[in-house]
Amino acid sequence: MPPTVALLPGQTAFAGNDYLGLAGDPRLAEALYEGARTYGISSMSSRWALGWTELHARLERGLAEYFGAEDACVLGATYMGGAVYFEVMRRAHATVFCDATAHSNLFLGMKAAGFTIESFRHLDAEDLRRKLAAHRGPPPVVATDGVYGISGEVAPLDAIRDAARAHGAPLFIDDAHGVFAVGPTGRGSAEARGLAPGDAVVLGSLSKALGCNGGFLLGTRDEVEAFRRSTPVCGASQPIPPLAAAALRALEIVREDPGLRARMWSHAERMRAAAREHGLGVVSEESPIVALTLADEAEARALDAHLRTEGLVAPYFKYPSEPRHNL
């Protein structure tokens, strides 16, 4: 069944991932227009053919500089990140230990690359440590989300890093919901947990807090060059040039205006306080995601319907990774 129309003229989006409010910023629209006027509206092909522009090169340099990484590789979609990373890592590793509720792009990438997958309990670094200690064979890979997009929880990345490091396992963090929003200077959940740029390969999104579209991988120069040469990157298009231009402008804005993050956190704290006043439970306070605990699906549907009568849209739907839904 096709999705119903979620947002109509005059309604206010009361959910989604536009954490800093940049998706509708006129400065990004202007950059988008100039990018389209100069470079056209299509990437036409992959980065190794005709899909690469000076805008994309500047964007990779800007992302690496912002996060203090050696290099960055931009992707047409953040969802490609798992496929890219695990294809490359399969050359030297055979097993991956992954948080049981990590984003589906990680599991799809592991399966496609032929990894043996071992899950550890959600947010449980001690369970990971025990399972790594029992592992026999070449060093595995450890993978986790940074910020969990449904619950707003932030993984204990410092403890996960220490467990991985003790067993020679490289660490991969999907921080699509954390970059530009979480951390003292907006460098994501890795920064929030005290990790250094070289402690993990990080998958980030241009589509959420940055208000644009596409994704990126951060790592060492050798790692990133291997990502660029991977089959998914060679065979897929980049963010279209206008979006690369808009992302460059958005990156400038988040550098220049830390008040955007302060406003976001203020709104999140106000929302959580209001929820508690009305008897609703709040899952986590460590990210801008305000996840409320409701009694059941019927209550969730009722809240969706009630909000719509007030012109607010926070659509209820069955998310595939929610454990009760065997989709």
Side-chain angles (χ1 to χ4, degrees):
M1 183 177 69
T4 57
V5 175
L7 193 63
L8 297 171
Q11 294 179 323
T12 300
F14 206 54
N17 308 133
D18 185 19
Y19 300 128
L20 300 178
L22 288 174
D25 192 301
R27 293 171 292 182
L28 269 63
E30 181 179 350
L32 189 83
Y33 167 74
E34 290 298 328
R37 192 169 65 86
T38 303
Y39 294 92
I41 63 171
S42 174
S43 292
M44 296 180 285
S45 60
S46 75
R47 67 182 292 148
W48 298 113
L50 296 174
W52 195 245
T53 70
E54 178 265 345
L55 293 172
H56 295 93
R58 285 173 53 202
L59 181 57
E60 286 191 339
R61 291 195 300 269
L63 289 166
E65 180 183 347
Y66 181 84
F67 288 97
E70 288 187 11
D71 208 347
C73 173
V74 296
L75 308 171
T78 313
Y79 204 80
M80 291 171 56
V84 172
Y85 177 80
F86 288 108
E87 180 192 286
V88 170
M89 298 305 288
R90 188 65 179 86
R91 302 168 192 173
H93 304 271
T95 305
V96 58
F97 287 81
C98 188
D99 186 296
T101 64
H103 194 275
S104 59
N105 88 84
L106 273 65
F107 286 100
L108 288 173
M110 297 172 212
K111 292 175 182 176
F115 272 86
T116 297
I117 302 171
E118 302 284 350
S119 297
F120 61 91
R121 286 196 297 266
H122 181 49
L123 304 178
D124 193 337
E126 283 306 310
D127 187 48
L128 169 63
R129 194 182 303 275
R130 287 190 295 269
K131 290 182 175 180
L132 286 171
H135 174 71
R136 298 294 177 266
V141 174
V142 172
T144 180
D145 284 13
V147 176
Y148 284 81
I150 298 299
S151 66
E153 297 164 302
V154 180
L157 296 176
D158 46 353
I160 290 173
R161 173 205 56 197
D162 293 346
R165 183 179 288 170
H167 295 276
L171 176 59
F172 180 49
I173 302 169
D174 179 347
D175 203 29
H177 292 273
V179 291
F180 308 111
V182 172
T185 64
R187 268 66 176 180
S189 60
E191 180 190 41
R193 293 297 194 224
L195 273 64
D199 286 346
V201 169
V202 173
L203 171 63
S205 177
L206 304 172
S207 312
K208 296 176 172 44
L210 214 61
C212 297
N213 195 263
F216 58 92
L217 286 159
L218 302 168
T220 66
R221 289 185 181 86
D222 288 344
E223 288 169 333
V224 169
E225 188 58 29
F227 299 150
R228 291 181 180 128
R229 300 286 176 179
S230 69
T231 302
V233 171
C234 287
S237 62
Q238 300 298 299
I240 61 173
L243 284 170
L248 278 166
R249 186 68 183 101
L251 191 56
E252 292 176 359
I253 291 169
V254 297
R255 281 181 180 276
E256 297 165 358
D257 189 3
L260 289 172
R261 289 196 314 279
R263 184 184 66 176
M264 172 195 69
W265 282 102
S266 175
H267 289 171
E269 289 163 5
R270 182 181 177 190
M271 177 66 186
R272 291 185 180 106
R276 291 193 186 93
E277 288 176 7
H278 289 82
L280 294 173
V282 176
V283 177
S284 173
E285 297 188 9
E286 293 191 288
S287 77
I289 297 169
V290 181
L292 308 178
T293 54
L294 303 175
D296 52 31
E297 293 183 30
E299 187 172 18
R301 291 181 187 277
L303 180 58
D304 176 355
H306 171 72
L307 290 173
R308 285 178 188 271
T309 66
E310 301 297 324
L312 305 175
V313 180
Y316 165 78
F317 68 102
K318 293 185 177 183
Y319 195 77
S321 68
E322 211 286 335
R324 293 174 301 167
H325 303 142
N326 187 22
L327 299 182

